[in-house]
Amino acid sequence: MTQNSSFSKGSLEIICGSMFSGKTDELIRRVDRARIAKQNVTVFKHKIDKRVHDTENFLTSRTGSKIEAIAVKTPEEILDYVKKHNIQVVGIDEAHFFSPYLVDVVAELIIQKKRIIIDGLELDFRGRPFAWVATLMAMADKVIKLNAICSECNDDTFCLSQRIIDGKPAKYDDPIILVGSEEYYIPRCRGCYQIDKKPDFTNQK
Ligand SMILES: [Zn+2]
């Protein structure tokens, strides 16, 4: 096995960005390279995430990249599986679907000298941080922030995940999690994004 400092110390890479920014593609690319390098890799996804072409045992990106994955309900299941199967490289897709306890699990995996690669939305459709994704970004060795392309003006510098219900922007007070990206979300830059209230960054509930 190739010597890699991440195995002697543990490491965390986090890939973030809005919907349609290519996060899952980047996760698959990174874990695929680790697999080609003969490292013991496992990718986890949340059971809540059932995309159009996804099956229980695979993670599929919108561009068609595909990799085997294990669907779990809780971060604890990741910890148990990694220990039982002596996994070296841990991929986790869509971190925002998990609970804040994901942070504790990732911290433990770093102590166990694992290389962890995570993707997730750092902001919800209202433009407020998912608290545990923001914490993971702060803990990470590397933060890879990707941009989608605005569906209105083709700006590619920064996009929010605009939720559209019945052809109109969703309300600020709607539920934060709504699974089903193609149907409900479009990427919009700061100039084109619309919502009925400004994000409240201090009242984190
Ligand atoms: Zn725009």
Side-chain angles (χ1 to χ4, degrees):
M1 190 186 74
T2 308
Q3 283 298 312
N4 185 322
S5 62
S6 66
F7 292 145
S8 59
K9 293 177 183 172
S11 69
L12 171 62
E13 292 145 68
I14 183 148
I15 304 154
C16 56
S18 71
M19 305 280 291
F20 307 100
S21 63
K23 298 185 296 299
T24 300
D25 269 326
E26 182 60 23
L27 177 82
I28 291 174
R29 192 184 73 80
R30 285 173 184 249
V31 294
D32 221 22
R33 283 176 63 82
R35 187 164 286 165
I36 291 165
K38 309 257 186 313
Q39 292 157 8
N40 195 6
V41 179
T42 297
V43 176
F44 299 90
K45 63 176 185 175
H46 199 286
K47 274 194 173 163
I48 196 175
D49 187 20
K50 287 218 167 50
R51 297 180 200 181
V52 179
H53 302 296
D54 248 8
T55 63
E56 186 86 344
N57 303 321
F58 282 93
L59 176 65
T60 314
S61 78
R62 290 184 189 89
T63 60
S65 302
K66 194 174 180 181
I67 200 161
E68 279 183 45
I70 293 173
V72 294
K73 278 187 181 165
T74 66
E76 293 92 324
E77 289 175 60
I78 298 173
L79 207 53
D80 291 345
Y81 188 97
V82 168
K83 188 177 179 186
K84 194 173 170 187
H85 298 272
N86 194 26
I87 305 300
Q88 297 168 295
V89 180
V90 181
I92 303 173
D93 186 52
E94 306 276 31
H96 51 280
F97 285 144
F98 287 86
S99 67
Y101 188 61
L102 182 63
V103 175
D104 296 81
V105 165
V106 169
E108 176 58 29
L109 289 172
I110 293 170
I111 290 168
Q112 292 179 13
K113 300 177 182 175
K114 309 299 181 187
R115 176 185 173 194
I116 305 130
I117 310 165
I118 299 182
D119 76 60
L121 293 170
E122 77 277 34
L123 299 173
D124 62 28
F125 78 97
R126 304 175 301 180
R128 288 201 338 179
F130 281 98
W132 55 98
V133 180
T135 303
L136 289 169
M137 287 170 75
M139 290 162 60
D141 303 53
K142 282 184 199 162
V143 177
I144 301 104
K145 195 153 178 169
L146 302 176
N147 296 317
I149 295 168
C150 176
S151 62
E152 306 300 313
C153 74
N154 300 327
D155 185 279
D156 68 349
T157 52
F158 177 85
C159 278
L160 289 148
S161 305
Q162 173 85 65
R163 187 191 288 174
I164 300 285
I165 305 288
D166 296 330
K168 291 178 186 159
K171 303 283 185 199
Y172 187 89
D173 293 322
D174 286 352
I176 293 169
I177 295 288
L178 183 68
V179 183
S181 56
E182 278 77 10
E183 292 161 77
Y184 299 113
Y185 294 98
I186 52 172
R188 279 187 176 167
C189 72
R190 293 185 204 274
C192 298
Y193 173 83
Q194 294 175 34
I195 197 143
D196 57 332
K197 287 184 196 173
K198 283 183 187 170
D200 178 357
F201 293 105
T202 51
N203 183 19
Q204 293 283 348
K205 67 173 186 180

